Amino acid sequence: MDQLDKGCLSSMYKAIKVIVKGKVQGVGFRPFIYNLSKKYHLNGSVQNNFDRVVIIAEGEERLVKKMVDEIKKSPPKLAKINEINIHQIPLAHYKEFTIIPSVKNGRSIPWIPADAAICEKCLEEMNDPYNRRFHYPFINCTQCGPRYTIISRLPYDRSNTTMKEFPMCLDCEVEYEDPWNRRHHAQPICCSDCGPTLTLYNQGGKTLAENQSAITQTVDLIKKGKIVAIKGIGGFHLACDAYQEKVVDQLRLRKKRPQKPLAIMVKSIEVARNLCFISSQEENLLTSPEMPIVILKRKREGVVPPNISPGLSTIGVMLPYTPLHHLLFENHKLECIVMTSANPSGLPMLYSDDHLEHLQNICDNILTHNRKIDFPIDDSVVQCDAENAIFVRRARGFVPEPLKTTSNVDHIIALGGNQKNTFSVGKQNNIVMSPHVGNLENEEMIDSFEEQLHHYKEFLGVKEKYMAIDKHPLYASTSIATKLNRKIISIQHHHAHHVSCMEDNGLNKPCLGIILDGTGYGEDGNIWGFEFLYGDAKSFERLAHLKSTPLPGGEKAVKEPWRNAVGMLLYYWPQEGKELCMKLFPERLKEINIMEQMIVHQMNTPMAGTCGRLFDAISAILGICSISTYEGEAAIKLSDYMNRTELESTGEMYSYHLITHTPNQIQLDLSPMIYQIIQDKFQQQSITTIIQKFHNTLVSCCVQMVLKVVKNRPDLNRTVVLSGGSFQNVFLAREIQKGLEKEGFNVYTHKHVPCHDGGLSLGQIIIAAHQL
């Protein structure tokens, strides 16, 4: 070839280096690139570099461009591309396109793949009598199946997962090694010849059946009204027929969960539609690769008994997300089953076959498998407000996706709060949040927390220097951090909420924050939770708040909402208030007298001004919930009235006072509202009307409080973040946002993490980074 021909060839051909960052591990990205290289006749290589994929592609310029366009527009379903960098490089004249071994860089941020629901192709194969994986309950490929729950260490190779105990058969090995096959490097790959198996036990531990026979018998047992513990991707569920009210009562009794809603799994989206109203956004969530539990509004004519979610108009629904789940519904005997975590309330998840003896006390039978779970994980829970998805519990399918930050969080770990705990681990400019851990109220939960924290540190190669914790001196995180002997950074609870929402929305400049919460340790020694703050990660000011009232019995009042009401009434109206208390709670006369003395002598009676306790008091006054059997029950049941019917927006509200002590300190006094609510109750006004006026009042006072704050301080940034557990109340969040936006404010709510204490560790780690 002469010099002219070589010049023409080089002008037609191009070589590029493409670096793809994001969720590109364990999602079939390398075989996807390999297939594109064949489609567009390109040579070069593709390689995993722990937190990125590096592609070298040589070929005709227009075809190289087509490959890049397809990577951007049509990546694998489970992939999430955060960044693509393209560099032109000299031609190296590769002879072919190859997948080359991974390289691990110790400073890289590993993207640990999340567990994914069974994909459509695997579902088709599982239902095909001529396929070698017909009815195999562990079928998976690069686009679905267990990931996070089976990883023992990184990098994500089969030898580092619990699947290492199952040597591949020849057929699976051929698929695994074939770059054209959709199971190429699918680490959990297996079949009935080489993979995990199912076993059904009776209550005494005797084997009843295996594999397909075990599934058939499980279905029959559930249909007969039995409670079966079923081992899934992240742990054991308790399952029973959701249409049988008596067996649901029995499950509640055994699990010690008298009122808290139970999730159901339905056979199909069509069944879900028969039971609930479903928007397009809710359907998208139900059918997504994550397949979370979605909180839906139930139809009145639905056949699901009321004891699935007592006192509520909503129900948590999920679709089958594992092959085993689909097989349970396969023979049309079952349509809707309860699927709730098998642990007794307040204790860690049960996920190992070592836990079978604990299960025997709460179920009739156990359907388990011999694929070990290294990382237990609960189902994610999401609710929708129009097009916005709100995390109630961030877990399976979404964890452990890293969150990018502009803050240097390297070597910092934030331990979160005591309720709905999550922790956050920092590495360079990335934050990896744990899944929902639970309430750190006993030794078992603390042990579970410490075990998961240790696992994350090992995974990420993090040796922490700093521990960010809540300022509450009695939180478990304080003793955990002290034991680890690292530099401790204590952070105010509501400041962490404020910054959590800022970080969730990429905000850096100081802004206003409305934090409506249950309980948080205040800097004045009182319990805060109805706060108007201004600041950023560096510092904050408390500009306004709800007036504090006594909380007789402290923690006991959190579990007995009627005590909140008594504390408020005795404080605001010492004489008339006692008469009102006796009229509202006649069965509590003796206790009311004792509480009166507790308040007078300030015995075990902290002062609290929180939105959660306010909801508790109103719920008790209206006779909706006087004793909480689960966290937030009184507030949840009260706010549920706002979902029950299409309420006419009357705009009616109760009275309240905004009291200015100093330009930087405004108090909200809601005693006029409380008194008027009691009078409306005695005059037998409609409960729904009272609750609507109560909600309207809270919306109004929040908007007016912000207006008063900025009138006093016109220099303040007119950006507002909304955070705290009370913003799970969709009406409050939506209407406060609308009200402030009408007044010209920019308002932000949570997007990627929960607004409650499940998002607390995100704020803590950012504040700690700025303090350092």
Side-chain angles (χ1 to χ4, degrees):
M1 186 182 293
D2 61 30
Q3 195 66 35
L4 183 63
D5 290 335
K6 285 182 179 177
C8 290
L9 186 65
S10 63
S11 67
M12 291 167 55
Y13 273 64
K14 185 178 184 180
I16 61 169
K17 181 179 184 179
V18 184
I19 299 171
V20 186
K21 295 181 180 179
K23 186 179 178 181
V24 289
Q25 314 295 328
V27 295
F29 210 89
R30 287 180 297 171
F32 163 70
I33 297 297
Y34 182 88
N35 289 334
L36 288 185
S37 75
K38 299 305 177 189
K39 180 178 178 179
Y40 295 117
H41 311 290
L42 306 176
N43 293 332
S45 65
V46 60
Q47 179 187 45
N48 262 345
N49 280 16
F50 213 38
D51 65 337
R52 65 192 69 190
V53 165
V54 179
I55 305 156
I56 305 292
E58 291 186 348
E60 196 176 327
E61 187 169 356
R62 67 181 181 85
L63 296 177
V64 169
K65 184 179 183 303
K66 282 189 174 183
M67 181 199 75
V68 173
D69 287 344
E70 194 159 340
I71 292 171
K72 291 177 179 176
K73 292 175 184 175
S74 307
K77 189 176 180 181
L78 293 183
K80 182 180 179 182
I81 296 174
N82 289 345
E83 188 180 326
I84 296 182
N85 296 308
I86 302 166
H87 310 276
Q88 189 159 348
I89 58 174
L91 284 164
H93 304 291
Y94 286 88
K95 302 295 183 189
E96 59 183 351
F97 196 94
T98 55
I99 297 174
I100 57 179
S102 305
V103 170
K104 178 180 176 181
N105 179 344
R107 290 295 292 165
S108 298
I109 307 300
W111 195 302
I112 305 160
D115 307 298
I118 183 172
C119 68
E120 289 179 9
K121 288 183 178 177
C122 281
L123 198 53
E124 286 173 12
E125 289 181 354
M126 189 181 74
N127 291 325
D128 179 3
Y130 300 102
N131 191 282
R132 73 188 191 90
R133 292 187 175 88
F134 177 59
H135 279 183
Y136 184 56
F138 303 98
I139 188 170
N140 66 84
C141 69
T142 58
Q143 295 305 297
C144 68
R147 303 283 196 274
Y148 169 83
T149 49
I150 61 169
I151 300 172
S152 305
R153 63 185 64 83
L154 293 175
Y156 175 51
D157 294 323
R158 190 182 181 92
S159 59
N160 292 332
T161 72
T162 59
M163 287 300 295
K164 67 186 177 190
E165 298 177 14
F166 303 95
M168 281 183 268
C169 66
L170 184 59
D171 287 338
C172 284
E173 197 169 351
V174 167
E175 292 172 328
Y176 182 85
E177 298 293 347
D178 180 6
W180 289 95
N181 195 288
R182 65 178 231 282
R183 292 190 171 88
H184 178 63
H185 283 204
Q187 306 306 338
I189 186 175
C190 57
C191 68
S192 56
D193 291 335
C194 64
T197 55
L198 283 172
T199 306
L200 176 67
Y201 296 102
N202 67 11
Q203 199 173 33
K206 180 185 175 185
T207 300
L208 299 180
E210 294 184 338
N211 301 322
Q212 185 57 43
S213 175
I215 296 170
T216 303
Q217 288 193 40
T218 297
V219 172
D220 290 339
L221 288 165
I222 292 173
K223 199 66 187 167
K224 289 174 183 174
K226 299 295 183 183
I227 298 168
V228 182
I230 299 175
K231 187 178 180 183
I233 280 185
F236 281 95
H237 285 100
L238 292 178
C240 69
D241 189 341
Y243 294 157
Q244 298 185 38
E245 193 166 3
K246 286 183 179 178
V247 73
V248 174
D249 281 337
Q250 186 63 34
L251 185 149
R252 286 192 172 282
L253 194 64
R254 295 187 196 178
K255 191 173 159 63
K256 298 177 182 176
R257 187 171 174 170
Q259 290 283 311
K260 192 173 181 180
L262 300 168
I264 60 170
M265 179 177 283
V266 296
K267 181 176 181 175
S268 64
I269 193 73
E270 289 74 28
V271 174
R273 277 201 200 92
N274 290 337
L275 301 175
C276 302
F277 298 99
I278 303 177
S279 68
S280 58
Q281 168 75 341
E282 288 163 342
E283 182 171 343
N284 289 339
L285 283 165
L286 283 166
T287 57
S288 68
E290 294 83 11
M291 283 198 175
I293 296 169
V294 181
I295 297 174
L296 302 173
K297 187 176 177 181
R298 67 160 91 195
K299 292 181 176 176
R300 286 184 178 176
E301 65 272 19
V303 293
V304 174
N307 62 348
I308 294 289
S309 52
L312 300 177
S313 62
T314 56
I315 191 164
V317 178
M318 59 180 153
L319 294 177
Y321 59 84
T322 71
L324 174 58
H325 294 152
H326 280 275
L327 292 170
L328 290 172
F329 290 108
E330 196 257 348
N331 66 4
H332 306 295
K333 287 185 178 181
L334 294 173
E335 186 177 79
C336 175
I337 56 179
V338 169
M339 272 285 191
T340 185
S341 55
N343 53 294
S345 290
L347 293 175
M349 286 189 69
L350 301 176
Y351 64 94
S352 166
D353 281 359
D354 294 339
H355 300 149
L356 293 186
E357 61 185 63
H358 302 295
L359 287 165
Q360 288 165 353
N361 299 322
I362 53 176
C363 67
D364 301 307
N365 297 87
I366 300 167
L367 179 64
T368 187
H369 56 74
N370 57 345
R371 182 181 67 205
K372 287 181 183 174
I373 296 169
D374 254 10
F375 258 159
I377 195 165
D378 221 327
D379 294 311
S380 291
V381 183
V382 180
Q383 63 180 337
C384 289
D385 175 23
E387 294 304 306
N388 300 319
I390 303 160
F391 276 105
V392 177
R393 186 165 68 207
R394 185 175 176 270
R396 177 183 53 77
F398 298 97
V399 171
E401 188 172 314
L403 304 171
K404 199 83 175 169
T405 179
T406 55
S407 303
N408 180 12
V409 293
D410 213 17
H411 302 298
I412 306 172
I413 292 177
L415 300 187
N418 251 33
Q419 308 296 316
K420 298 183 172 70
N421 177 270
T422 66
F423 57 83
S424 288
V425 178
K427 187 166 185 179
Q428 295 175 39
N429 297 107
N430 290 268
I431 300 163
V432 183
M433 286 184 73
S434 75
H436 168 86
V437 177
N439 298 346
L440 306 184
E441 294 177 337
N442 53 55
E443 190 177 338
E444 292 87 349
M445 289 301 299
I446 292 169
D447 287 346
S448 175
F449 172 92
E450 290 178 326
E451 187 180 332
Q452 292 194 55
L453 177 61
H454 174 75
H455 214 145
Y456 265 68
K457 286 159 61 176
E458 293 275 306
F459 258 12
L460 300 169
V462 168
K463 293 183 179 178
E464 78 283 357
K465 296 177 182 176
Y466 310 98
M467 307 292 285
I469 65 169
D470 193 279
K471 272 192 172 175
H472 198 302
L474 300 181
Y475 273 10
S477 55
T478 304
S479 58
I480 292 168
T482 304
K483 201 163 44 177
L484 290 169
N485 197 27
R486 299 289 185 268
K487 181 174 173 57
I488 294 173
I489 302 164
S490 297
I491 291 158
Q492 202 281 323
H493 188 90
H494 303 96
H495 186 204
H497 271 303
H498 184 134
V499 174
S500 175
C501 193
M502 287 181 67
E503 182 67 22
D504 207 0
N505 288 281
L507 304 175
N508 297 310
K509 293 180 180 178
C511 66
L512 290 155
I514 303 177
I515 316 300
L516 303 184
D517 201 20
T519 301
Y521 188 76
E523 296 197 328
D524 58 1
N526 292 339
I527 298 170
W528 294 4
F530 202 123
E531 309 303 314
F532 295 79
L533 309 180
Y534 187 80
D536 56 14
K538 298 184 188 72
S539 63
F540 78 97
E541 298 176 75
R542 188 191 194 203
L543 299 181
H545 61 90
L546 177 66
K547 189 175 182 178
S548 295
T549 54
L551 200 61
E555 192 62 32
K556 193 169 186 181
V558 176
K559 295 177 180 177
E560 299 184 16
W562 71 274
R563 289 175 174 268
N564 288 277
V566 170
M568 290 178 187
L569 299 185
L570 292 177
Y571 177 77
Y572 284 125
W573 310 282
Q575 295 303 318
E576 187 185 0
K578 187 172 182 181
E579 293 173 16
L580 293 172
C581 288
M582 291 190 290
K583 195 171 178 182
L584 287 165
F585 312 109
E587 73 285 2
R588 303 283 187 182
L589 297 183
K590 184 178 178 182
E591 290 156 286
I592 290 168
N593 287 327
I594 294 170
M595 288 162 65
E596 183 181 31
Q597 293 305 308
M598 289 172 67
I599 291 168
V600 168
H601 298 290
Q602 298 179 1
M603 296 169 54
N604 190 23
T605 304
M607 297 296 285
T610 92
C611 191
R613 303 293 77 81
L614 173 67
F615 266 82
D616 284 357
I618 302 303
S619 189
I621 287 167
L622 296 179
I624 292 167
C625 180
S626 292
I627 304 289
S628 286
T629 63
Y630 61 90
E631 187 193 348
E633 179 181 352
I636 290 167
K637 287 183 173 177
L638 176 68
S639 58
D640 185 75
Y641 277 78
M642 299 301 289
N643 305 323
R644 295 190 181 189
T645 55
E646 291 300 321
L647 299 170
E648 289 185 20
S649 183
T650 61
E652 283 189 86
M653 64 182 75
Y654 294 109
S655 305
Y656 57 89
H657 301 312
L658 299 184
I659 305 164
T660 303
H661 288 285
T662 69
N664 288 337
Q665 195 60 254
I666 303 166
Q667 271 193 7
L668 169 63
D669 180 0
L670 289 173
S671 60
M673 177 193 74
I674 295 168
Y675 191 85
Q676 289 165 11
I677 286 174
I678 293 170
Q679 298 312 309
D680 280 356
K681 154 88 171 172
F682 290 158
Q683 290 165 21
Q684 298 185 328
Q685 290 283 332
S686 156
I687 292 290
T688 302
T689 301
I690 295 172
I691 293 169
Q692 186 180 12
K693 287 172 69 177
F694 165 68
H695 277 78
N696 289 342
T697 307
L698 292 191
V699 171
S700 172
C701 69
C702 285
V703 173
Q704 292 305 314
M705 189 79 95
V706 171
L707 289 173
K708 196 170 180 72
V709 163
V710 295
K711 185 179 178 182
N712 292 341
R713 297 274 299 275
D715 57 305
L716 299 182
N717 180 0
R718 291 175 73 88
T719 295
V720 185
V721 293
L722 309 181
S723 191
S726 295
F727 279 115
Q728 287 179 98
N729 182 318
V730 171
F731 179 89
L732 271 190
R734 181 178 64 240
E735 295 304 314
I736 290 173
Q737 182 170 6
K738 279 185 356 189
L740 288 169
E741 285 175 346
K742 279 182 185 175
E743 299 291 343
F745 292 89
N746 298 310
V747 185
Y748 295 86
T749 56
H750 282 272
K751 290 183 171 64
H752 305 104
V753 302
C755 61
H756 56 60
D757 285 7
L760 206 63
S761 63
L762 176 62
Q764 289 174 343
I765 200 168
I766 298 297
I767 294 168
H770 284 268
Q771 285 196 15
L772 292 170

